[in-house]
Each structure stands twice: as structure tokens, then as C-alpha cells.
Amino acid sequence: MSVLDLPRIHFKGVARVNVPTANRNVHNTLEIATNTVLHKGQAVDIKMSPKAYHEYLQSLGPKLNAQGMADENGQFSLACGYNMSGNNHFSWHDTEITALQIRPGECLQQDPLLGGTLNLWGHYNEYLRTSFNRARWVDNDPTRPDSALIYAGQLTISAPNSEANTAHVFSADIDCTHGVRWLNPGYIEQPQPHGFAADLAAARLFQFTVSKDSKDFIINQLNLESEFLEHLKLALAEPDVKGLIVQYCVSNLSPPSQPNMAVFCDLHGSIGLWREHEMATCPAGRILQPENHEHFSNIALQVSQHGLSLNMAISVGHQGYLEALPVDSGLPPKLADKVSLGDLQLQSKEGQTLAMIPEALYNQSLKTAGIIDIPIELNASDLANQSLKLVSDKHSWHEIDWYVQGEQHITYMESPNPKSNQKSNQLVEVYSYFRGTPRAINKLASHNCTTQLISCAPYVETAENGRGQFLIEALSAGSGQIFLGEQHSPLQVRVLSDDWALLDVPDEQVDYDFLYENVMAYYEFIYPFMADKVFSMADKCKCETYARLMWQMCDPNNKHKSYYMPSTREMSLAQSYLFLKYLGNVENSAIPKSLPPCNTELAVAGKIKSKAQLIQALRDAVDLELSIMLQYLYSAYSLPTYAAGEQFVKAGRWTSEQLALVNGSADRRHNSGWRGVLLEIAHEEMIHYLVVNNLLMSLGEPFYAGTPVLAEQAHRKFGLDTDFSFEPFSAQMIAKFVRFEWPTFIPTIGRSIADFYADIKQAFEELPDLYPEGSVSSGGEHHLFLNEVVNRNYPGYQFEVYNRETALFAIQFVTEQGEGVCEQTEQFELSHFNRLRQISKALNQQDIPFESAYPVLKNPVFEARVGCNLVTNPQAQSLMRFYQECHELMFQIMMHHFAQTPRGSLRRSRLMNAAIDLMTGILRPLSVHLMTLPSGIEGRNAGPPVPRAVESSVAEDYAQGCAQLSQRCATLADMARNLDLIQTPDTQIELLEFFQQQMADLAAGNLSREG
């Protein structure tokens, strides 16, 4: 039964909790029903800068110093809490298996699984296609300590000393959001005086399940010779076992030493069997409730043929601390022994002693996460007829005969829609147990504490298997609560704000100002982490740049995913759809004023023998990946956006079916058509470019920006027959792209990219002394644009290269993502080769061909160049020149990052993020626009110019280089102001001005190098 059953895994570690704390409404700064931020008791003026509001919150007392004492000059303010900048990330660190049990009361002394590492991950992000995804901790009602919900997507167990690119012993997807089940608010009985004492003293128990029937439930793929795993596999084969239950407890929060930092907590837990009659998110067994709820929590027990087993995970807390607060390491402080209650007696309700639990046994149960066994003879059937209690001279627990719980006991609901008379209802799955056994319950009265916010069924009823459904209806916005039955099992309900009128706002009115006023301002004022770590929603240029991504992250279909934004989950359905309307308007603003004219008339070789040769081959590989990526981008941008495609449909140039092929669906969700597939592949090629640079830098070489190569030069350098050229999307171009990605397992004539990488792989395998002993990772870690298969198998992988094994893994990653390597692998379906083949099939199966792309020039340039076509239109030339300058700036910023911190984090580097923002916010819209401008050659449009190698550089000194980059941004902003062909000039100019200031701040040391 749950973690009381055998076999069991026990684990211990540390949890990193990065929850925002300025939403707790300590000083009447937030109206939760309407998401209204208050300033001096009134709704804040959204024209107020978010930074000024944050300073206002910080000014509110009382203030605390680092020791948690009242101090008018202290750095903490209770109005902000200890972490106003929290982003809801929740992760496990250094969490290891401490004990394995296949028999009650005994732990295996030797097993290869002992010391294995557990990790809790978030959901794979299909849009950013990332690895290293974090779970999220979300306070449903931030004013309550028992309202936390965890959004997690994957559990993994790795063998001891495994690397990020090592397969897991166990992996499973998590499909249930889980909330606090048991709370012990006084887990530390005698806390030291501290302003955040309530946070420090609390302990919370969570539970989730993983199904053995899931295709992603993988166990012992390393074929460890483990006695425990053999027992576990036999147990999982039992017909009433649905999978595994994971129970974990978070306690002993580390006292924060400075504001706006994540905190760490002790973590301990157990894994057991999930049987047919058990809930997914709530502990099973006979439940005993403490008399004193302030310092103790529930106990679950079961009687079996082996004796008595008790789940006391957080039931008894610790006496106090063994060290002064705060702790220098930032980790949870060491704790004294558990509270001394003496021996506990299990008694019947009438007082008959049935068993004795020695104090030493439950005080020494940390290794088994508070799960203890007592080998005594008890008759379970006899005990079923009487209530139980656990008593000592100092405290007691009494059994709850009827234990009634809702599976989704913490939930969000939309407000009812008054205009359409549409109600907002939710059915909650309810389970009823009598002394631990499922049993039907008839008309158990419910108690609604907030009748003005929610209504509910007057009674709880369940079937013979103890299962039923309970109907809740939302009435108005706010935070409500319902109690089920006499024991007051709570259902917490957050009814979201009533924003239905926003759905009636005409699409064209949803511009940036409207979106900011009605949605984004609230998050800017109360949750600063976006502005600090990602981008500020008060920056119009950033919002316009990432309009599509904002909609995808806020799509209500993704609300159950860990990556959903806002991570705090209080955005209403109507508000979220404003992002889709805004995206449509951003796309519409880029539609050319007149459509381009339509012409309806007929018209492995083993050649690498030294490290020097390997380095040159890697530099060639950088050139290769860069050249291919740019060709994919050129072809993708030659396809109109969805909004432009709609105009083609209205003009009779396309059918609706053809629009769907090119651009996907109007909801801009996962299906983005051929255009989206090419952009995804281009993004992955960009990652290949960085991975190959990591290989290069791991050999001690500097970052290499690369040179785009075309035509005969490409043939000489790479030995490939396929033409390298910048051309619009067509069946011929897709056929060329398929040739680029041709896998080795399909016979072909001539040399392929796969052969090119085979030489490099062989060199890494055979050349001696490439890596000195103890070498460390060099290059830049990142987790963008990784497909779901890579994420599931290696959720911690971030392109690390520091020895021969990680280098070979990196090469395998690049080739698998491109060619697929083998048709029987999971990767093949997601490979570039397979996805491009699908486009090719669809193109060739069209009954009536259609012009899907703008008629742009092949290899356009604005200055004469061999093998390229000269654009003669002066306006297009000037815009192409501006594009070239911005392209060079983007590479200079990226190169400046690697010149300083080749081992630093790409995802946190302000320089790398600036380069990505310029790519997305300037080069992408300029590419789209140039595709629609006349080239000066009849019947052909211009396009982004074929790029040259980046020749100019910036100073090696970080500050001096940033100052030069700031001046370059200023020069380009002036250049943009004099161009009359940029369709959204304000955004490009604002973005350049933004980075002009940011680079200046970095040069002056006013901004950290990492975000």
C-alpha cells in the first residue's frame, strides 16, 4: 500500500525553491480577485515605471536584516518577502538513494542502485525545444502556506557517478499536478527568532504517481545486476499495481541571507507501489490525525502479515537548530534531534495496547525517510473493527475512520461568463476510505466556506469502490474553500478574474498598449523576474520581437505544463487570447502594402591524422553548419507569414488548404506548416554550430565565428556535390535540403555530410592525448532547440564537452538530429532528413502546383560579387546594407562573449541573449520585408544579402569592447532612422537603443554580465 508497501526506495537531498514572495499581500498591495496591483491603497497607475513600484514595495516596513531581525536599514521588506524576483522554478539537487528495502525493517547493504541520483524535471517545451527544464512550484493562493502546487513532467534515476549524457536507470513521465497533502507548520519546534520564521519552520508533503503502462516508463535500461530492481520488476508485474508512487517532503528552508535569491530546503522521500485502489496525489493507509496541528502532522499506517508499518514522513519535527542563522553556505541549517515524545503506544479506541513504537526507532528513521516497520503479530481483520490511536505522555494521534479526499484538491477555475450565461463548473474526483479500505459513502455533507465565490454539491457520494465525483461551480473571482465531511478535508479553489469582456474587443484594437494595460502590467509590477532574467514586458520592442512565443507560452492549452507562462497561473482565459490577437496584429503590420506580381504566363575517409588536422576539420564543420543554417533561413523567410498567406487566399492565389500547408493553423499552436518546420531545422543547425564550436574550444582553440560558403568554394571545402546557394522555397530547394541531410543507411553516390562527420568522429576516437587528465568543460552550455527524445533521455544535457566520451556524444547528437542515423530509432522521426522528406512528399503530391514563396533572387547582394546577383533597386540596396551591418553586430556581440567567458552559460549571458534578440527582433523581420521588395530585376524581389565573414572585431577588454558595441548600436539606430522602408521602424530602433544602453551599462559595470 503506497510507500508502506514493499519494495521501497528512500532518498534524501536538497530542493531549490525559487518562489516569488511579493504576491503575499502583506500590506494590502494586491487585489487577488481582479489581479489589481495597489499603490497606497489605490490601483496603481500603469504609467508608473515597474522599477519605481518595486522601490515602493521595498520601502514598506517592517524591514529585516540578514539575521531576520527588525532593522530599519535592513535589506529585506516583508512587503516584498525574501524573494520578490522568484520565477517559480523548483528542482532537486544532490538527491541520492539512501536506502532500498525489499523486506520490512531491513535495508540492502549492497546494490548498484544505492547512491543513485534522483531528479525532478519540468515538461519538455515543444516551442523552445529545450532540455534542462525545471519543474514549477506555484502558490495557488499566495497568502496560504498549504496551497503549493507542483507542475512536473519527468522523474529520472541515474546510476551513481553518471554524467548528463548517460542513460538513466529509470525514467518516467509525470501526468498529474500535485499539491501539498500534509503540512506541519511547526516542524522545527523551537525556531530562532526570525522575521520569516513561519517559512523556515514549515514542512510539506507532496505525492505524485507514474504509470507503468506509459510508453515512457523505462526501468533498468542499463541492465544493472540489482537485487532490488529484480524485486521491483516482479512487483510491478502484479495486476493490481498501476505504477509507482513518489512521496517527498520539503522542510527546513534555508534562512535567506540576501533578497531575491532562491532558497534551499531539506528534501526526503520514498517510492513505493501504486495500487488500483489508491489515489495518485494523497498518501494511503489508515490515517491518524494529530491533536496538535501546529507542531505535528498526519501518520499513515498499515497492518500486514509482516507486522506494522508507519508513514511518519513529517509527523514529528525537530527540536531546533544546531547552528546560528543564516548559514554561510546558503544551504539548510543542521537540525537537532527530533522532538522527544518518548515511546509511542498503538492502542485501540478503548485503550488496549496493540504495539509499542520505541522512540529510538522513529527518531532514527531519517535514512528511510520516516517510514518504519515493527515486526509484531497483529490481525488486520480484527483491527478493521476498531479505531486506533497512537499515544504517549506528551502527544497523541487519533484515527480518522472516514478519510474523504479530492484528487485535485487545489485547483483553478474560470469565472462564469455573464454575457453568454456560460457557467464555470468542475468535477473533482473524490475517494472515500473507511479505516484505510475503499468504501461507498452516502450523502456525506459538504461545507462551503465561501458561498459568495463558489457553490457545490451539498453531499459527497461514492460508489462501492470508494470513488465518486463532486461538482463545484464558480460564482465570482477570489480564493475559496470547501470542506468535505466531518474531518474537514479541504478543497482549495482559486476563481480567476472575470475578464470575459476582453473577448469582445476587436482584434485590431489589441495593440501593445492595450495588451500591457490589460494583462502584462500586473506581472511587471508584482513579478519582476521576467524583466530581470528574460525580458521586460514594458519593452515594446521585445514584446513585438517575441509576440509568437508569448502566445505559445500563454496558450491555455498548456496551462498544465511546467513551462506555461505566467508561471503563477492566475491569467484568465480571456486575457490569454489577447496574446493571439496581438500576434495577429504584429504579423499584419509586416504584410507588404501590395502583393508581389503573379506571372500567369508560361515561362569517412580517415584523412585526419593529427590534432591540427582535426582542428581544421572542426573549423570547416563550423563553416558548414553556418552555411546550411543560413540557407534554411533564407528559404523559410521566402514563405509568407500566416497573415500574409491569408491575403493570398483572399486574392485567390492560394486555397485554404494551401495556406495550412505553408503556415499551419490560425491558432499558431504547434503546427506552423512548412515555414515552421524550416525555421525549427534552422534553429537546430544554429545549435549544431555552437556544439561544433564547443568541440573546437574543448581542444583549447578560441571560438570561431565561421564563414558562409557558396557554390564552387563549398564544393572544394566540403567535398559535397550538393549546391550551396540562397534560394526561395521550392520543390527543388527541398530536394537539395534532403540531400544535405542524407543518412548513411540509405545508399547514395558521392560524399555526404554524414561522411564529413564520420571522419571527425573517427579522429576523436583514435587520436591520442586530445584531452589532458582532469580537463574541464569548455564552451558554452545551453538547452535550447533540443527535441523531445533528447530531453527525455538526457534532460540534464547542455552541450558539455570536456573529454573523449562527451565529444563523441556531441557528434552523435549533431548527426542524429540531422540525418537520423538509423530508421529504427526514436530520433529518426524528428530528424531533419525525415521532416524534410515529409515536406517533399506533400509538395510532390499536390494535384495543382502553386507558388508558395515570394519570387526572390538567388544569392542576392548589394555590391557585385562572383556567383551572386546584384540588387539594383536603391531602396532595397540601402536596406540590405543596414541588414549586413546588423548581422555583423550580432556576430560581434556573440564573439565578445566567447572572448571573455568560453566556459560561461550562454543562456545567462547578457551578450549571448543580446545576439539572439538582434537575430529575432531585427534580422528576422528585415529578412521577411526584404523578400517583398523589388530587386530592380524584373519579376524578382530582393532578399537578405548573402553574408560575408565577420572581419571587424571589438577590443578584447570586456568593458572597452562593450563600449564599442554600444557605439555601434547608436550608429545603427541613426542609420535606421534614415531608412523609410522598415515596416516597423520603431521596434528596430528601440531594440538598438535598448542594447546601446545595455552595452553602456555593461561597460560601466552597472549591470551584471549574467542575467
Side-chain angles (χ1 to χ4, degrees):
M1 177 182 289
S2 183
V3 295
L4 296 175
D5 223 335
L6 292 164
R8 305 181 193 129
I9 298 174
H10 305 290
F11 55 89
K12 193 175 188 305
V14 174
R16 183 179 186 270
V17 184
N18 198 11
V19 178
T21 56
N23 57 358
R24 296 183 175 182
N25 201 24
V26 174
H27 276 290
N28 189 33
T29 52
L30 181 62
E31 172 50 61
I32 193 171
T34 58
N35 288 355
T36 301
V37 178
L38 303 178
H39 179 236
K40 298 180 179 179
Q42 302 295 320
V44 70
D45 181 356
I46 64 165
K47 294 178 181 177
M48 183 181 188
S49 78
K51 183 178 180 181
Y53 185 77
H54 301 155
E55 291 172 352
Y56 161 72
L57 283 182
Q58 184 65 32
S59 71
L60 298 175
K63 297 289 193 66
L64 305 173
N65 58 26
Q67 287 70 43
M69 299 294 102
D71 182 347
E72 62 181 13
N73 297 315
Q75 60 266 57
F76 291 96
S77 162
L78 283 184
C80 299
Y82 55 83
N83 188 14
M84 181 167 62
S85 295
N87 60 5
N88 295 103
H89 282 195
F90 175 63
S91 52
W92 296 358
H93 294 260
D94 301 323
T95 301
E96 295 185 353
I97 294 174
T98 57
L100 300 170
Q101 292 183 294
I102 57 177
R103 287 174 288 275
E106 297 180 27
C107 296
L108 292 176
Q109 298 303 307
Q110 289 187 330
D111 193 282
L113 197 59
L114 279 169
T117 302
L118 288 88
N119 272 298
L120 187 72
W121 302 100
H123 292 92
Y124 175 69
N125 188 322
E126 299 93 335
Y127 305 99
L128 289 173
R129 299 159 66 222
T130 57
S131 69
F132 220 79
N133 300 298
R134 294 303 195 189
R136 299 295 195 276
W137 173 308
V138 178
D139 290 328
N140 181 280
D141 180 345
T143 65
R144 299 180 54 142
D146 60 348
S147 71
L149 273 172
I150 305 298
Y151 293 79
Q154 185 181 3
L155 174 72
T156 60
I157 301 178
S158 303
N161 303 314
S162 293
E163 301 287 351
N165 55 344
T166 305
H168 301 295
V169 176
F170 173 81
S171 176
D173 281 5
I174 303 166
D175 62 3
C176 60
T177 303
H178 52 284
V180 175
R181 274 299 175 180
W182 294 352
L183 173 71
N184 185 341
Y187 189 67
I188 299 169
E189 186 180 49
Q190 297 175 355
Q192 295 181 19
H194 198 287
F196 299 118
D199 295 286
L200 309 184
R204 298 169 176 86
L205 180 145
F206 300 89
Q207 179 177 298
F208 66 87
T209 51
V210 292
S211 172
K212 70 177 184 182
D213 295 329
S214 167
K215 66 181 179 63
D216 299 309
F217 186 92
I218 301 169
I219 188 168
N220 201 16
Q221 59 181 333
L222 298 182
N223 296 315
L224 298 180
E225 294 183 3
S226 164
E227 180 183 6
F228 178 83
L229 289 175
E230 290 305 312
H231 277 80
L232 182 60
K233 283 186 174 181
L234 289 174
L236 285 168
E238 296 176 21
D240 74 324
V241 174
K242 297 196 293 183
L244 296 177
I245 274 177
V246 183
Q247 172 186 290
Y248 64 95
C249 307
V250 178
S251 62
N252 189 25
L253 184 147
S254 59
S257 59
Q258 56 182 309
N260 301 323
M261 298 290 290
V263 292
F264 293 89
C265 299
D266 284 335
L267 174 76
H268 66 271
S270 304
I271 301 176
L273 300 177
W274 180 27
R275 295 196 181 272
E276 185 64 38
H277 64 276
E278 294 173 356
M279 297 177 66
T281 65
C282 187
R286 298 182 69 164
I287 306 299
L288 279 65
Q289 204 172 64
E291 282 188 350
N292 177 357
H293 291 270
E294 295 302 313
H295 288 284
F296 302 93
S297 75
N298 291 356
I299 294 174
L301 65 82
Q302 76 167 349
V303 178
S304 67
Q305 59 182 349
H306 304 296
L308 176 67
S309 298
L310 297 97
N311 178 358
M312 302 178 68
I314 58 170
S315 308
V316 179
H318 291 260
Q319 296 173 17
Y321 298 109
L322 290 179
E323 50 189 328
L325 308 185
V327 182
D328 291 340
S329 66
L331 294 175
K334 295 176 182 177
L335 296 177
D337 291 340
K338 283 186 171 289
V339 174
S340 177
L341 299 177
D343 297 341
L344 300 175
Q345 298 179 46
L346 179 66
Q347 297 181 351
S348 66
K349 191 174 183 179
E350 289 73 27
Q352 177 189 1
T353 298
L354 306 170
M356 184 72 71
I357 298 94
E359 181 175 9
L361 190 61
Y362 67 80
N363 269 342
Q364 298 169 10
S365 63
L366 290 178
K367 184 178 179 181
T368 56
I371 312 299
I372 59 176
D373 301 301
I374 301 173
I376 58 174
E377 291 189 9
L378 290 172
N379 191 313
S381 58
D382 290 345
L383 292 183
N385 298 319
Q386 53 187 320
S387 294
L388 302 175
K389 58 184 178 180
L390 200 62
V391 301
S392 76
D393 294 338
K394 299 178 180 178
H395 187 66
S396 62
W397 285 260
H398 296 268
E399 182 169 19
I400 305 170
D401 285 341
W402 280 103
Y403 193 54
V404 183
Q405 295 286 330
E407 186 76 274
Q408 309 88 25
H409 70 301
I410 303 174
T411 187
Y412 291 87
M413 294 180 68
E414 293 289 334
S415 287
N417 188 340
K419 186 171 182 180
S420 65
N421 293 320
Q422 181 180 348
K423 294 183 177 181
S424 176
N425 294 330
Q426 185 167 325
L427 282 172
V428 175
E429 298 291 325
V430 174
Y431 287 64
S432 60
Y433 300 89
F434 184 76
R435 295 176 185 159
T437 301
R439 185 177 296 184
I441 201 164
N442 182 35
K443 289 193 174 181
L444 176 69
S446 62
H447 176 61
N448 185 355
C449 304
T450 44
T451 55
Q452 74 281 13
L453 301 181
I454 48 180
S455 70
C456 64
Y459 302 105
V460 180
E461 294 189 298
T462 57
E464 287 301 315
N465 61 0
R467 299 185 189 179
Q469 291 184 319
F470 183 73
L471 180 66
I472 303 173
E473 179 183 350
L475 300 179
S476 61
S479 181
Q481 182 165 259
I482 299 166
F483 290 129
L484 303 181
E486 297 175 357
Q487 298 303 324
H488 290 182
S489 300
L491 294 177
Q492 294 180 33
V493 181
R494 173 80 176 269
V495 183
L496 302 179
S497 56
D498 179 1
D499 302 306
W500 293 109
L502 293 174
L503 289 182
D504 298 329
V505 176
D507 290 10
E508 60 273 14
Q509 291 184 18
V510 184
D511 57 9
Y512 167 79
D513 292 334
F514 187 91
L515 186 65
Y516 184 78
E517 178 182 351
N518 287 279
V519 185
M520 297 189 299
Y522 165 76
Y523 296 99
E524 279 291 295
F525 283 112
I526 211 72
Y527 302 115
F529 79 88
M530 273 291 294
D532 185 45
K533 302 298 183 187
V534 187
F535 65 83
S536 171
M537 289 174 284
D539 292 328
K540 179 182 177 182
C541 58
K542 289 294 192 79
C543 292
E544 190 164 303
T545 296
Y546 293 107
R548 186 184 187 92
L549 182 61
M550 288 197 304
W551 156 243
Q552 291 168 335
M553 295 300 97
C554 299
D555 183 348
N557 283 358
N558 297 325
K559 205 157 193 174
H560 64 291
K561 296 293 184 70
S562 57
Y563 59 75
Y564 171 84
M565 295 295 288
S567 53
T568 44
R569 260 71 180 181
E570 68 267 71
M571 182 186 291
S572 67
L573 184 74
Q575 285 178 314
S576 66
Y577 274 102
L578 291 182
F579 286 90
L580 180 57
K581 293 186 177 187
Y582 175 65
L583 169 60
N585 284 328
V586 170
E587 289 184 348
N588 281 325
S589 68
I591 297 175
K593 293 181 173 61
S594 60
L595 296 179
C598 179
N599 184 4
T600 58
E601 297 181 7
L602 294 175
V604 175
K607 295 179 180 179
I608 304 174
K609 300 298 184 182
S610 67
K611 182 177 180 180
Q613 290 177 333
L614 175 58
I615 288 169
Q616 184 55 53
L618 288 172
R619 289 169 68 89
D620 289 345
V622 172
D623 292 340
L624 174 69
E625 297 294 351
L626 178 62
S627 302
I628 291 176
M629 175 191 73
L630 292 172
Q631 290 174 76
Y632 283 136
L633 285 174
Y634 192 91
S635 185
Y637 290 141
S638 74
L639 292 169
T641 63
Y642 189 93
E646 287 182 308
Q647 301 303 313
F648 276 67
V649 174
K650 290 178 181 177
R653 300 262 292 275
W654 289 0
T655 65
S656 297
E657 291 74 19
Q658 289 164 344
L659 172 62
L661 284 172
V662 176
N663 294 113
S665 53
D667 61 19
R668 276 80 154 182
R669 287 192 167 109
H670 295 300
N671 179 14
S672 299
W674 297 338
R675 191 174 192 272
V677 170
L678 286 176
L679 287 174
E680 284 181 3
I681 291 174
H683 293 156
E684 290 174 358
E685 293 294 347
M686 180 173 66
I687 290 305
H688 296 178
Y689 166 86
L690 292 174
V691 169
V692 176
N693 252 307
N694 275 3
L695 288 164
L696 189 62
M697 289 187 287
S698 75
L699 299 179
E701 292 296 303
F703 175 82
Y704 173 54
T707 303
V709 185
L710 297 178
E712 182 58 29
Q713 184 185 2
H715 176 68
R716 291 195 306 270
K717 179 181 278 282
F718 308 128
L720 306 176
D721 295 330
T722 311
D723 184 35
F724 277 51
S725 60
F726 290 73
E727 298 184 54
F729 179 92
S730 67
Q732 293 79 7
M733 280 300 290
I734 290 299
K736 183 181 87 167
F737 292 160
V738 170
R739 291 295 303 175
F740 277 161
E741 309 288 357
W742 200 272
T744 53
F745 66 84
I746 299 178
T748 185
I749 297 173
R751 183 172 167 83
S752 69
I753 291 175
D755 298 322
F756 181 88
Y757 274 110
D759 281 346
I760 294 175
K761 180 174 183 288
Q762 185 181 46
F764 271 104
E765 289 173 334
E766 297 180 355
L767 290 178
D769 304 323
L770 290 179
Y771 295 97
E773 189 70 26
S775 60
V776 296
S777 174
S778 61
E781 54 84 9
H782 215 304
H783 55 216
L784 280 174
F785 307 128
L786 294 173
N787 63 40
E788 189 169 5
V789 173
V790 173
N791 174 72
R792 176 171 290 108
N793 293 334
Y794 314 104
Y797 182 57
Q798 298 195 81
F799 313 143
E800 305 94 332
V801 180
Y802 49 89
N803 57 22
R804 194 182 306 272
E805 289 72 26
T806 53
L808 293 172
F809 186 85
I811 296 169
Q812 178 187 341
F813 161 74
V814 170
T815 53
E816 281 192 353
Q817 200 169 52
E819 64 189 64
V821 180
C822 174
E823 194 171 7
Q824 283 70 47
T825 64
E826 282 185 294
Q827 284 279 15
F828 180 75
E829 184 179 352
L830 300 173
S831 68
H832 298 180
F833 176 77
N834 188 55
R835 286 187 282 171
L836 291 166
R837 282 280 294 140
Q838 299 307 315
I839 295 177
S840 180
K841 287 179 186 179
L843 267 172
N844 293 324
Q845 289 171 0
Q846 292 297 301
D847 293 333
I848 303 175
F850 71 106
E851 288 288 348
S852 54
Y854 294 123
V856 294
L857 278 177
K858 175 181 179 180
N859 297 339
V861 291
F862 57 88
E863 294 175 339
R865 182 173 166 188
V866 176
C868 298
N869 292 300
L870 181 65
V871 172
T872 58
N873 181 298
Q875 292 177 315
Q877 279 188 331
S878 63
L879 196 59
M880 292 169 76
R881 185 172 285 105
F882 176 66
Y883 180 99
Q884 180 72 31
E885 294 286 335
C886 291
H887 181 269
E888 187 171 283
L889 171 66
M890 182 267 294
F891 267 95
Q892 286 178 328
I893 292 175
M894 183 165 56
M895 291 166 67
H896 196 45
H897 162 84
F898 283 104
Q900 308 299 322
T901 54
R903 296 188 182 90
S905 167
L906 298 183
R907 62 193 171 90
R908 292 195 294 267
S909 164
R910 294 195 191 274
L911 290 175
M912 282 301 298
N913 287 331
I916 293 171
D917 287 348
L918 289 173
M919 188 187 309
T920 307
I922 293 183
L923 299 182
R924 182 177 66 183
L926 286 180
S927 296
V928 173
H929 185 44
L930 279 164
M931 297 283 184
T932 69
L933 295 180
S935 66
I937 300 173
E938 188 175 356
R940 289 292 165 184
N941 289 356
V946 174
R948 295 180 179 273
V950 179
E951 297 176 356
S952 58
S953 60
V954 298
E956 292 185 5
D957 177 76
Y958 184 85
Q960 189 178 352
C962 287
Q964 291 175 4
L965 291 169
S966 175
Q967 183 56 49
R968 190 78 188 274
C969 289
T971 301
L972 287 177
D974 288 338
M975 187 176 180
R977 293 185 189 95
N978 296 320
L979 291 172
D980 59 358
L981 281 176
I982 304 179
Q983 287 202 259
T984 53
D986 291 346
T987 299
Q988 274 78 41
I989 294 168
E990 276 185 42
L991 208 56
L992 287 166
E993 290 174 337
F994 178 90
F995 287 115
Q996 175 191 349
Q997 183 61 50
Q998 186 180 82
M999 294 299 147
D1001 287 341
L1002 289 171
N1006 296 331
L1007 196 63
S1008 63
R1009 298 186 184 189
E1010 289 193 348

